[in-house]
């Protein structure tokens, strides 16, 4: 599945790796340009609202399942004390593959 980006200058959704193993915890981070303030960060899966972080910019998919594969973006209120406006990141692809190998001890 390929994501079609909608460019923005303000937010970037960072994914630790393009391909993750099923069962992993994946932490996505919504970064704001030039260290501006950002509040109420939301995570979306193909335009469908998933979750909000009222404090901080990290959102997690845990445990990762095959149905989590898809296009994601984040959105949030960006700005300063004087004014806030809504921005969203470009779409990024998250791919879940196979089962996480069992560790034997």
């Amino acid at each position: 599945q390929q994501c079609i980006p909608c460019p923005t200058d303000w937010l970037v959704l960072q994914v630790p790796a393009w391909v993750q193993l099923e069962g992993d915890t994946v932490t996505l981070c919504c970064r704001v340009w030039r260290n501006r303030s950002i509040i109420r960060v939301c995570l979306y899966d193909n335009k469908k609202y998933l979750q909000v972080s009222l404090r901080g910019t990290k959102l997690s998919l845990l445990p990762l399942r095959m149905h989590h594969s898809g296009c994601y973006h984040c959105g949030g209120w960006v700005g300063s004390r004087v004014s806030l406006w809504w921005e969203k990141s470009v779409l990024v692809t998250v791919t879940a593959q196979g089962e996480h190998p069992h560790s034997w001890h």
Side-chain angles (χ1 to χ4, degrees):
Q1 182 178 7
Q2 186 159 0
C3 301
I4 301 169
C6 299
T8 180
D9 293 330
W10 291 100
L11 298 179
V12 173
L13 183 60
Q14 294 180 321
V15 180
W18 292 108
V19 177
Q20 304 286 331
L21 293 176
E22 188 175 18
D24 282 347
T25 296
V26 178
T27 300
L28 309 174
C29 188
C30 193
R31 297 277 186 207
V32 64
W33 184 63
R34 290 197 175 176
N35 296 320
R36 292 270 187 159
S37 296
I38 183 169
I39 58 171
R40 197 172 169 87
V41 175
C42 298
L43 179 65
Y44 298 87
D45 174 6
N46 241 353
K47 300 184 181 179
K48 184 180 86 178
Y49 168 80
L50 291 178
Q51 60 179 283
V52 64
S53 174
L54 298 176
R55 294 182 183 181
T57 59
K58 294 184 179 179
L59 302 144
S60 295
L61 301 174
L62 63 128
L64 188 69
R65 297 290 176 239
M66 296 299 281
H67 71 269
H68 286 131
S69 291
C71 297
Y72 290 80
H73 76 274
C74 64
W77 291 99
V78 175
S80 62
R81 294 180 190 175
V82 180
S83 66
L84 289 173
W85 62 94
W86 180 260
E87 289 287 345
K88 66 180 183 177
S89 70
V90 298
L91 292 165
V92 296
T93 302
V94 173
T95 303
Q97 286 188 345
E99 281 189 29
H100 199 281
H102 299 288
S103 54
W104 300 94
H105 296 288

